[in-house]
Amino acid sequence: MQGPIDLGDLSGLADGQLRAYPEVGAHGIVVCRVAGELHAVEDNCSHREARLSEGRLRGTLLTCPLHGAQFDVRTGAHQGPPAAVPIAHFDVVEAGGSASVTLDGPAEPRG
Ligand code: FES
């Protein structure tokens, strides 16, 4: 268990936007704003090594820039091939003009 880790003021992050934090966690995280809520997932595709923050966020789905795997940023769940497993999802709390994340998911590097 690690955290909470300060993410700064994300009030300017609009719906459909994302921000990468490469220094947080084993692979970095990407924070996404969806329907007003902040969600954080591991910034590394579960198919191969690729930064999901360089992909596309549409609705709740983050699409990998390499081969197109999609993940639900609310849970980290994968939506089918080529990804075979989910990515880690982390809880984000936003209050008083700042956001923080707690890394209590499976943030260990995958073998
Ligand atoms: S590396 Fe993400 S789909 Fe292949």
Side-chain angles (χ1 to χ4, degrees), residues 5-110:
I5 298 168
D6 184 29
L7 300 175
D9 182 3
L10 290 178
S11 59
L13 195 69
D15 270 339
Q17 293 185 326
L18 55 81
R19 184 170 301 174
Y21 291 83
E23 73 283 2
V24 174
H27 298 285
I29 64 169
V30 54
V31 177
C32 306
R33 175 88 67 186
V34 175
E37 301 292 324
L38 292 175
H39 303 276
V41 292
E42 189 174 30
D43 193 6
N44 190 38
C45 186
S46 64
H47 178 228
R48 304 249 175 93
E49 299 283 321
R51 291 213 172 277
L52 294 171
S53 57
E54 295 173 3
R56 192 178 61 236
L57 177 65
R58 293 286 184 272
T60 63
L61 294 179
L62 184 56
T63 302
C64 177
L66 220 52
H67 311 110
Q70 293 186 311
F71 302 90
D72 190 323
V73 299
R74 299 170 300 178
T75 62
H78 62 297
Q79 303 296 300
V85 295
I87 55 174
H89 170 270
F90 308 105
D91 289 333
V92 180
V93 174
E94 189 173 33
S98 73
S100 61
V101 66
T102 301
L103 301 185
D104 58 359
E108 297 302 316
R110 285 185 297 269

